[in-house]
Amino acid sequence: ANILEHIHSLNNGYLGGLRSAKVLYINAMGKLKDAHTVECTPATDPKFAITGRRILIAVGGRPSVPNIPGAELGITSDDVFFLEQHPGQTLLVGASYIALELASFLQGLGCDTTVFVRSEPLRGFDKDMAKRVVDSVALAGTRFVLGVSPTSMARQAGGRISVAYTEKGGEAKTMTFDTVVFAIGREVQTAGLGLAEAGGQTDKVGR
């Protein structure tokens, strides 16, 4: 409840800032009808259209979930703050700054934390700084398993989650956790925006 109240207070602050700047805020689903027209669909009111010389698309993304058996047993980084109980022994899948941030504070809260790193930690960041961050997180107690990704997950009789993975040498192994958190990136939410109608094109992942 406290988290939702904080999020609502942030949203209200942003809305207040928009109103102060005399920006019109429309709470509706938008879909492009052409390069200069957006069809707006509010939750209850009838649809209406607005036009503009230029239209900026900034829809953000949602956390990605790997396509593996049992993936529904895991949660995403968005879900961590809504857990109703202590996460216990936790696996973070991914090595982005979000994954390492979560690993750091979960370890600080007393969780036995492990990070699965598929390629390299903080890819795209300065390598020296990335190494310093990883060393710091590891020094606090977090374990890093390098060069692996989960291949399947299953619920055990006691409620814990069994995670299968394959090491670099090809050896199949299994580890067990109370909570598995996916932090492997985000998927853009461009589907259904009508980009084709506006003459836009996307790649295979929707960018």
Side-chain angles (χ1 to χ4, degrees), residues 94-101 115 117-135 137 144:
S96 64
Y97 72 92
I98 293 293
L100 298 190
E101 179 183 37
V115 177
V117 183
R118 180 177 61 85
S119 56
E120 62 180 279
L122 298 173
R123 184 174 56 187
F125 287 78
D126 177 84
K127 292 186 180 298
D128 179 63
M129 293 305 300
K131 182 179 183 304
R132 289 172 182 267
V133 171
V134 171
D135 288 347
V137 175
F144 286 84

Side-chain angles (χ1 to χ4, degrees), residues 89 91 114 116 145 148-156 160-167 171-177:
Q89 188 175 4
L91 170 65
T114 299
F116 275 12
V145 183
V148 301
S149 295
T151 55
S152 66
M153 296 164 51
R155 179 78 70 185
Q156 294 186 332
R160 283 162 57 82
I161 302 170
S162 175
V163 180
Y165 64 98
T166 304
E167 291 193 326
E171 183 180 0
K173 289 193 173 183
T174 301
M175 297 178 70
T176 304
F177 302 91

Side-chain angles (χ1 to χ4, degrees), residues 26-31 33 37-50 192:
I26 299 173
N27 189 5
M29 177 69 73
K31 181 178 180 180
K33 303 304 290 183
T37 307
V38 177
E39 180 184 73
C40 302
T41 306
T44 55
D45 298 327
K47 296 180 181 180
F48 61 94
I50 57 175

Side-chain angles (χ1 to χ4, degrees), residues 6-182:
H6 179 64
I7 293 173
H8 289 155
S9 70
L10 291 175
N11 289 339
N12 289 334
Y14 294 139
L15 289 175
L18 291 173
R19 293 191 183 100
S20 297
K22 301 188 184 307
V23 175
L24 175 62
Y25 172 77
I26 299 173
N27 189 5
M29 177 69 73
K31 181 178 180 180
L32 294 165
K33 303 304 290 183
D34 56 48
H36 303 286
T37 307
V38 177
E39 180 184 73
C40 302
T41 306
T44 55
D45 298 327
K47 296 180 181 180
F48 61 94
I50 57 175
T51 59
R53 181 181 176 188
R54 294 185 177 89
I55 298 172
L56 172 66
I57 298 173
V59 293
R62 297 187 184 278
S64 301
V65 175
N67 184 22
I68 60 172
E72 69 278 1
L73 300 175
I75 63 175
T76 70
S77 54
D78 283 1
D79 304 318
V80 169
F81 296 102
F82 297 95
L83 291 173
E84 296 182 354
Q85 60 187 19
H86 192 284
Q89 188 175 4
T90 303
L91 170 65
L92 276 299
V93 180
S96 64
Y97 72 92
I98 293 293
L100 298 190
E101 179 183 37
L102 291 174
S104 182
F105 83 71
L106 287 173
Q107 187 72 39
L109 289 173
C111 299
D112 183 341
T113 306
T114 299
V115 177
F116 275 12
V117 183
R118 180 177 61 85
S119 56
E120 62 180 279
L122 298 173
R123 184 174 56 187
F125 287 78
D126 177 84
K127 292 186 180 298
D128 179 63
M129 293 305 300
K131 182 179 183 304
R132 289 172 182 267
V133 171
V134 171
D135 288 347
S136 176
V137 175
L139 185 63
T142 294
R143 289 185 300 275
F144 286 84
V145 183
L146 304 179
V148 301
S149 295
T151 55
S152 66
M153 296 164 51
R155 179 78 70 185
Q156 294 186 332
R160 283 162 57 82
I161 302 170
S162 175
V163 180
Y165 64 98
T166 304
E167 291 193 326
K168 285 184 177 180
E171 183 180 0
K173 289 193 173 183
T174 301
M175 297 178 70
T176 304
F177 302 91
D178 297 304
T179 303
V180 177
V181 183
F182 299 121

